[in-house]
Amino acid sequence: MQVTLKVMRYDPNKAAKPGWVSYQVEAEPMDRVLDLLHKVKYFQDGTLAFRRSCGHGICGSDAMLINGKNQLACKALVKDLTKKAGDTITVEPLRGLPVKKDLVVDMDPFFDAYRAVKPYLINDEPPPDRERLQSPEDRARFDASTKCILCAACTTSCPVFWVNGSYIGPAAIVQAHRFIFDSRDRGARERFQALAASTGVWRCRTAYNCTEACPREIPVTQAIEEVKRAILYDKF
Amino acid sequence: MAHQHDVIVIGAGGSGLTAALYAAKQGVDVAVISKLYPTRSHTGAAQGGIGAALGNVEEDHWEWHMFDTIKGGDYLTDQDAAEIFAKEVIEAVLELEHMGLPFDRLPNGRIAQRRFGGHTKEYGKAAVHRAAHAADRTGHMILQTLYQQCVKHNLTFYNEFHVTDVIIEDNVAKGVVAYELATGELHTFQAKAIVIASGGYGRAWKVTSNAFTLTGDLQAILYRKGLPLEDMEFYQFHPTGLFPLGILLTEGARGEGGILRNDSGERFMERYAPTIKDLAPRDMVARAMYLEVREGRGVGPRKDHVLLDLTHLPAETIHKKLPDISEFAWIYQGVDPTKQPVPVMPTAHYAMGGIPTTLSGEVIADDKNTLIAGLYAAGEVACVSLHGANRLGTNSLGDLVVFGRRAGTAAAKFAKSAELHDLSPDASGESRERLERVRNSSGKESVAALRAELQQAMQDYASVFRTEELLAKGVEAVAELQERYKNIGVQDKGERYNTELVEAMELGYLLEVSEATVHSCLNRKESRGAHAREDYPERDDKNWLKHSLVYRKNGKVDFMYKPVVLGKFEPKARTY
């Protein structure tokens, strides 16, 4: 069937402002939006720019705003976005990050926030000869936050982040959660500096957009709440 | 723009990040050049586990792992590489845990391990629990953990930079040229040592588990210079690609008890590998699946695939241990693996062959082990040769960390006693000329159409089963596509995020590595591991127990050979 793919396009070298461009594309119900973007790029307009790599939802390259919701283009299927032939699917770049070209946004502010929470195991005790021991229960405590693929779908769905880009955002807090609740980690307090700052967790207004946007089904808002409580009742 | 670093690492997947961390430990200045943001690298797609004889679940020994690797590689594995690997991967896994990798745990707190194809106890008696895992996202956790360490140690990254050339003069590596996607600018990097860790080239085939970005760039860049590629005829097809897309479904699914079935519901692997059945090595399982389909026992309206059955496993096992592949089956096929079997067929997955290296990752220039000073390679791009004619599941992740460490350390030590080399003023000239030619091209051929034709040709002519006739067609098809590539046209003439230009360059690389592959397949007249010649169905140790080195000189493809490093384990018939 034919669908209309309406893409928000922008090349700062060519135009002052972004604008919509519509493409008629032949689509199968099981096609990914990524397939449609490829069809446009390969057979209609080679200048269309977007990121992608793995094509099945684990590399985090192709998060974008699809029909008004943050999704991975490789996990969003035509059958779930259209009701009938001729329907329109809209595609826009993630909000809140500077657009570099078409669907490509500047990821540097996102990764700066990631780095601010010290996203690595902190433990200066000399490790044992074998593995550090961890019970399956302790391992399960932070399992969900290990799924994060740093796609930025959560952070760029957050209304607080849209208004104030200095907010470190849900993704960085999920990364902090992954370590704060790891029984092997000793760095919670170091991370609290960034997390409790005016740009940290207290900015969160529990809008739940992040949880809805996460393509990995991480309970992001819950993770943020757990980090807030960890700071309040500092047991570390 | 010009840059200088002691060590440059090309690629930010598992082997690149490991090499970078280990080079940095030696106190030298390291930078990583990646065509992606590092966490997008395809190591993150690896699922099932990393094999190491930790013995956490049951008795295990590195000697057993070494033997399995050699037998799995159909005795083309260099036995010195396998010995080093089986010993060092134990320490490497423990080190990943110390870095913070969240492995699944046993009730006693130790790292959990599962069964995997071809991994056995007591030299083949039964399957063994050897694959240390983190659900079915072990590669994701390895990539994340290594990148976290790079953040901790504040390593320098050049993200979304595409390497277009490695500058080598008189067998000395002097630097790298790279294209910055954001700006279209060409950069030159002077370096004392260079580690190539840029991954494989699965996108040469139509059905593949590989990312769009795996296009063999660095294999092709060296091959263009007349340098050899080793054992390119050995390409692995992973048995359980989700049909028809080819998305990887981990062998860990069979490690947890999953069974392959044909149209009558028969567990057909019992006929092909009576001892370890569904956990036979990948080449054998992939061939068995093809034969089932060919003999009319396939499933579906076209009888063109088989089924991976997990429905007899407890739903909790599937949800906890195989959550990602369950999601893939659901999203891309609408199948819930707890209730229905999943349609599968083999998918192009992994290059056993690549840039020949020593055990320290030094790049070899010929059949006499002449080295290119300052040039190293590790991971899938390299051929050390650990995997021989067929890689065992989990051994790629082990390879990344074991040989990534060795290459990174060796490169840093070399850099400490080396000087930066002057680059000629026009060091980037060849890259610039090539890029501008593509950018300004206005021919009639479409890059997307040519790529699709190449992928179809490789699928038809150089897949699981091969014959002289098919491969000759493959050689011809690739040559014709190379001619037509000269007449491509690119619409995007811009400097900013010109991904069309980059994809056109990548097609050029794919054509080169495909040429090396089909010629290597045609050349090897025996069946061994993943290279199954129906016209030469037997392994021929008398004539072919040797590594092939394909190279191109004056436009003509030719071969050199290297002996296999034998040792403790005599080549024997390979039954499971």
Side-chain angles (χ1 to χ4, degrees), chain B residues 138-153:
Chain B
T138 313
H140 164 77
M141 295 319 327
I142 288 178
L143 183 66
Q144 294 284 327
T145 301
L146 291 170
Y147 185 60
Q148 289 157 6
Q149 293 298 307
C150 292
V151 169
K152 180 178 176 183
H153 295 288

Side-chain angles (χ1 to χ4, degrees), chain B residues 41-105:
Chain B
S41 305
H42 208 56
T43 298
Q47 296 169 354
I50 174 168
L54 302 173
N56 283 358
V57 176
E58 58 186 318
E59 185 183 353
D60 199 3
H61 301 281
W62 68 261
E63 291 90 343
W64 296 354
H65 190 186
M66 174 185 171
F67 168 76
D68 290 338
T69 300
I70 293 162
K71 182 179 173 189
D74 217 349
Y75 297 92
L76 194 73
T77 295
D78 284 336
Q79 299 202 9
D80 50 355
E83 177 166 348
I84 283 173
F85 169 75
K87 285 179 184 165
E88 293 186 6
V89 74
I90 297 171
E91 184 191 313
V93 167
L94 294 172
E95 187 180 33
L96 286 170
E97 194 285 326
H98 295 158
M99 288 177 181
L101 198 142
F103 284 110
D104 291 345
R105 299 292 174 151

Side-chain angles (χ1 to χ4, degrees), chain A residues 46 51 74 100 132 184, chain B residues 100 105 160 213 332 491 496:
Chain A
R51 292 190 176 103
C74 59
K100 305 293 275 186
R132 290 191 179 93
R184 302 168 297 172
Chain B
R105 299 292 174 151
E160 297 188 324
T213 39
Y332 301 110
Q491 284 176 289
R496 179 183 277 261

Side-chain angles (χ1 to χ4, degrees), chain A residues 22-39:
Chain A
S22 290
Y23 304 91
Q24 300 305 313
V25 190
E26 197 54 38
E28 300 291 329
M30 292 300 281
D31 275 351
R32 303 163 279 196
V33 170
L34 179 61
D35 296 318
L36 305 191
L37 289 168
H38 275 144
K39 284 177 193 178

